[in-house]
Amino acid sequence: MMSCGYHSDIIMIKEKLYGKTLNDLIAVTKRIGLPGFAAKQIADWLYKKEISSIDEMTNLSKKMREVLSSEYELGLSDPLKYSESIDGTKKYLFGVLNNKFIETAYIPDNDRATICVSSQAGCKMGCVFCMTGRQGFQGNLSSNEILNQFRRLPEFRNITNMVFMGMGEPLDNINQVMKSLEILTSPWGYGWSPTRITVSTVGLTGTIGEFLEKSRCHLAISLHSPFDDERRQLMPIQRTNSVKEILDIIRNFDFNSQRRVSFEYILFEGLNDTPRHVKELARILNGIKCRINLIRFHKVPGSSYSSPGDKEVFEFKEALVAKGILTTIRASRGVDIQAACGLLSTLEQNKSSQ
């Protein structure tokens, strides 16, 4: 009698070490039977040394490295492609999740170089002026995928500042974003000052308090209009997370002198750029030590909105300054490579689905 056997090659998917906090690494060492001190050694290799494999962790014994490598990998991946602007801005495309794509912008400016990282693939917030919102929500990024954008940029060593202002809503992925901030700012991690990092949010009232309590990084609120009806038109989140609720949380939080609160304000011609808006902004922000960052709107496909001219933008700024509000006009960067969030990844997503 003949017997039939079936053979299948099982591919083991290893867990990624990069993006784990010190507590995560302590749990790893306990689970696989490594000594407790190994967790700090692993963290040191992950975040202070530029290694490319577990085998380079040479202060761990060969046996310890073999045990670690049997179930874990470093977990770093290179960008798939990039485009470069005439002003030096670069936009990188990374693959994440299952055939999804995110974008990361690198913005050099004299002795400062800022990286703009994504926290989600797609976005739930549905802001009408944002290309990422049109993709819909595709998934939360892990701390590995968030920090990989930072670590695998060719300009990694030049980066001085980070903003969570790429694709997605950071406070809708609060756990993984907070893990990333812990790794960036802890002595056992990258040891950055929190003042080098800004987290931008539409203002999720359910998680903004947690962010404020558990980190010391700067906060940026996407405002875009001081009037409820207009903000609802631009940002559906206003229906459930109103500007008043957000400002109440900020007013009741004790900010230290080094921590900055700013309000992002995209200017749309004929919609939110009038003296009436200046007056209302001064009223609702009264008593809050903050700044307003004015942003020119750069058209995305299918949008009927447009930006006011340079003269009107400057006059709007001067009117806010006259009301005692520190106001800046953000320089437009990477316009020729469509550096606005979501454009490059949408193009890639469309190509992959054809």
Side-chain angles (χ1 to χ4, degrees), residues 13-190:
I13 298 175
K14 295 183 179 181
E15 199 172 331
K16 296 173 171 58
L17 287 176
Y18 187 80
K20 289 190 179 297
T21 65
L22 184 57
N23 283 340
D24 291 337
L25 294 173
I26 290 170
V28 167
T29 56
K30 284 182 178 178
R31 194 180 72 77
I32 61 177
L34 297 184
F37 63 81
K40 278 197 173 180
Q41 291 177 311
I42 295 169
D44 191 66
W45 286 107
L46 289 174
Y47 306 122
K48 297 187 184 302
K49 299 180 173 70
E50 296 177 28
I51 61 169
S52 55
S53 71
I54 290 173
D55 203 48
E56 293 175 59
M57 299 180 180
T58 50
N59 59 352
L60 300 181
S61 70
K62 184 179 180 183
K63 179 63 177 175
M64 288 166 64
R65 281 177 274 155
E66 288 173 351
V67 171
L68 194 59
S69 296
S70 67
E71 295 189 37
Y72 295 89
E73 62 181 359
L74 209 58
L76 296 173
S77 59
D78 290 330
L80 303 174
K81 60 172 66 174
Y82 79 96
S83 51
E84 183 171 4
S85 167
I86 56 173
D87 64 23
T89 299
K90 293 182 181 179
K91 193 171 190 181
Y92 290 90
L93 187 78
F94 286 90
V96 294
L97 305 171
N98 293 315
N99 203 31
K100 307 299 181 187
F101 303 96
I102 58 166
E103 305 166 12
T104 308
Y106 172 76
I107 309 168
D109 186 14
N110 297 321
D111 58 350
R112 179 186 175 104
T114 301
I115 180 177
C116 184
V117 298
S118 296
S119 54
Q120 295 179 319
C123 186
K124 298 175 189 174
M125 300 301 114
C127 299
V128 298
F129 49 82
C130 178
M131 202 68 186
T132 302
R134 296 187 191 181
Q135 294 183 6
F137 179 66
Q138 300 165 37
N140 283 324
L141 301 188
S142 64
S143 55
N144 168 273
E145 290 166 320
I146 293 171
L147 290 175
N148 182 72
Q149 299 168 68
F150 163 67
R151 177 63 181 81
R152 295 309 288 173
L153 249 63
E155 299 85 4
F156 166 68
R157 296 183 192 88
N158 300 335
I159 297 168
T160 61
N161 295 81
M162 181 181 295
V163 289
F164 284 71
M165 204 178 287
M167 294 175 62
E169 163 54 51
L171 299 192
D172 190 40
N173 187 16
I174 186 73
N175 292 336
Q176 298 304 310
V177 167
M178 294 307 297
K179 282 181 69 170
S180 303
L181 296 178
E182 181 182 350
I183 292 164
L184 285 164
T185 60
S186 294
W188 51 262
Y190 287 105

Side-chain angles (χ1 to χ4, degrees), residues 145-315:
E145 290 166 320
I146 293 171
L147 290 175
N148 182 72
Q149 299 168 68
F150 163 67
R151 177 63 181 81
R152 295 309 288 173
L153 249 63
E155 299 85 4
F156 166 68
R157 296 183 192 88
N158 300 335
I159 297 168
T160 61
N161 295 81
M162 181 181 295
V163 289
F164 284 71
M165 204 178 287
M167 294 175 62
E169 163 54 51
L171 299 192
D172 190 40
N173 187 16
I174 186 73
N175 292 336
Q176 298 304 310
V177 167
M178 294 307 297
K179 282 181 69 170
S180 303
L181 296 178
E182 181 182 350
I183 292 164
L184 285 164
T185 60
S186 294
W188 51 262
Y190 287 105
W192 273 30
S193 164
T195 59
R196 296 170 65 181
I197 304 167
T198 299
V199 174
S200 178
T201 175
V202 297
L204 296 186
T205 54
T207 50
I208 195 170
E210 181 179 350
F211 164 73
L212 290 174
E213 290 287 347
K214 293 183 178 179
S215 94
R216 292 182 293 120
C217 300
H218 296 317
L219 173 67
I221 302 290
S222 296
L223 184 55
H224 311 319
S225 177
F227 296 109
D228 286 354
D229 56 340
E230 287 181 357
R231 194 168 189 260
R232 276 197 304 272
Q233 176 185 337
L234 295 167
M235 306 171 68
I237 195 66
Q238 172 69 14
R239 298 188 186 104
T240 53
N241 297 255
S242 71
V243 169
K244 183 183 183 305
E245 292 174 293
I246 298 164
L247 297 182
D248 285 346
I249 293 170
I250 291 172
R251 280 196 172 90
N252 291 326
F253 188 80
D254 185 18
F255 286 88
N256 64 43
S257 60
Q258 292 184 309
R259 193 173 195 181
R260 186 175 66 239
V261 178
S262 58
F263 293 90
E264 308 294 311
Y265 198 93
I266 299 176
L267 283 164
F268 301 101
E269 185 177 21
L271 177 66
N272 64 351
D273 60 347
T274 72
R276 184 174 73 100
H277 291 86
V278 172
K279 183 178 178 181
E280 184 66 4
L281 283 168
R283 187 188 73 79
I284 67 171
L285 299 180
N286 184 43
I288 298 177
K289 186 180 179 183
C290 64
R291 73 170 64 188
I292 292 180
N293 292 322
L294 299 180
I295 305 166
R296 296 174 179 86
F297 176 64
H298 296 288
K299 270 193 173 293
V300 296
S303 172
S304 60
Y305 297 108
S306 59
S307 174
D310 288 348
K311 176 176 177 290
E312 289 76 18
V313 172
F314 181 77
E315 288 175 351

